[in-house]
Amino acid sequence: MRLDIEDVTLEVAGTRLVEHIDLTVGSGAFAGLVGPNGSGKSTLLRALYRALRPAGGVVRLDGDDLHAMDARAAARKLAALPQESSAEFDFTAAEVVAMGRLPHRGRTAASDREIVAGAMERTGVVHLADRGFLGLSGGEKQRVLIARALAQQPGVLVLDEPTNHLDVAHQLDVLSLVRDSGPTVLAALHDLNLAAAHCDVLYVLDSGRIVAHGPPHDVLQPPLLAQVFGVRAHPVRHPVTGAVQLLFDLLPPTT
């Protein structure tokens, strides 16, 4: 499923936070959204999971206006993992994952159980099935929520910092899993090396605007990183994958 963000502007309490964003993710591609804190990444993603309606522009899924759909139809096409997810009731992990099937009510219960079990197996949380969600560690919660999103079987998957609370092995595992899971993916990522290793294309957001986009090796260049992130970057190539990786230090003081 193709995702198109066309000239989108977003405002909160009368303050414009994101403006004139054009962004396209082709069907099945993995796009990364990167930028410094406060650049507008989470705000933009809120428009995709319909927590914020654009003040201008449109978000399209295979050409259809996302915000013109009813909630259930939108949820059958797009699943989201916001940066902060809360639960008021202590559901079990299996019950949380099963919530991903709610937009698809009408299928057989057996089919739903198979899909939920498959999502839990793929994310390595089967052993947590009967544990209360509120009692899980941060990393365990994150993997359960990713399983819920996969159980939703969306055409587009939107992730806001999906590697939060995960150790290095699980960061690599989760992003590989997401990449291979099938949906079109747009993920906000802080770690530029993870973004470079897993994304087909990167969009760099700064002060609410896209300032660069393209393949990671083209985008993650020292002049841009100095301008946007305020750091001196030293690109190297991963010895196995060939992906660009970055070493950082502070910019030298100006005189």
Side-chain angles (χ1 to χ4, degrees), residues 140-155:
E140 289 169 337
K141 288 179 179 177
Q142 196 77 340
R143 285 187 287 145
V144 168
L145 293 173
I146 291 171
R148 182 183 68 182
L150 294 179
Q152 200 169 323
Q153 294 187 316

Side-chain angles (χ1 to χ4, degrees), residues 18-208:
V18 168
E19 52 185 343
H20 303 302
I21 297 296
D22 290 296
L23 185 157
T24 295
V25 189
S27 182
F30 189 148
L33 187 63
V34 300
N37 291 338
S39 60
K41 300 187 300 297
S42 294
T43 300
L44 180 59
L45 295 190
R46 287 178 65 196
L48 300 187
Y49 54 85
R50 295 172 28 122
L52 186 60
R53 180 176 288 274
V58 64
V59 178
R60 299 189 187 278
L61 303 179
D62 275 350
D64 296 326
D65 184 346
L66 173 65
H67 287 266
M69 300 176 190
D70 65 55
R72 187 173 175 184
R76 286 196 293 265
K77 293 189 174 186
L78 183 145
L81 178 59
Q83 192 171 145
E84 296 297 335
S85 297
S86 61
E88 296 182 3
F89 303 102
D90 196 11
F91 295 104
T92 66
E95 288 170 335
V96 170
V97 178
M99 291 176 187
R101 301 305 303 153
L102 293 177
H104 302 278
R105 279 182 175 171
R107 292 193 176 191
T108 65
S111 174
D112 283 339
R113 285 196 296 270
E114 290 173 2
I115 292 167
V116 168
M120 295 185 72
E121 183 173 356
R122 290 163 70 190
T123 51
V125 296
V126 173
H127 66 292
L128 303 174
D130 297 323
R131 294 266 306 276
F133 182 78
L134 297 182
L136 301 180
S137 70
E140 289 169 337
K141 288 179 179 177
Q142 196 77 340
R143 285 187 287 145
V144 168
L145 293 173
I146 291 171
R148 182 183 68 182
L150 294 179
Q152 200 169 323
Q153 294 187 316
V156 174
L157 183 57
V158 174
L159 306 169
D160 194 355
E161 298 298 337
T163 56
N164 273 359
H165 312 298
L166 299 179
D167 58 36
V168 173
H170 282 116
Q171 288 178 358
L172 297 173
D173 184 52
V174 162
L175 290 181
S176 296
L177 168 68
V178 168
R179 182 178 177 85
D180 297 337
S181 62
T184 301
V185 179
L186 178 62
L189 296 165
H190 265 307
D191 190 316
L192 297 181
N193 285 321
L194 287 175
H198 292 88
C199 296
D200 301 307
V201 62
L202 295 181
Y203 284 85
V204 182
L205 196 61
D206 189 28
S207 300

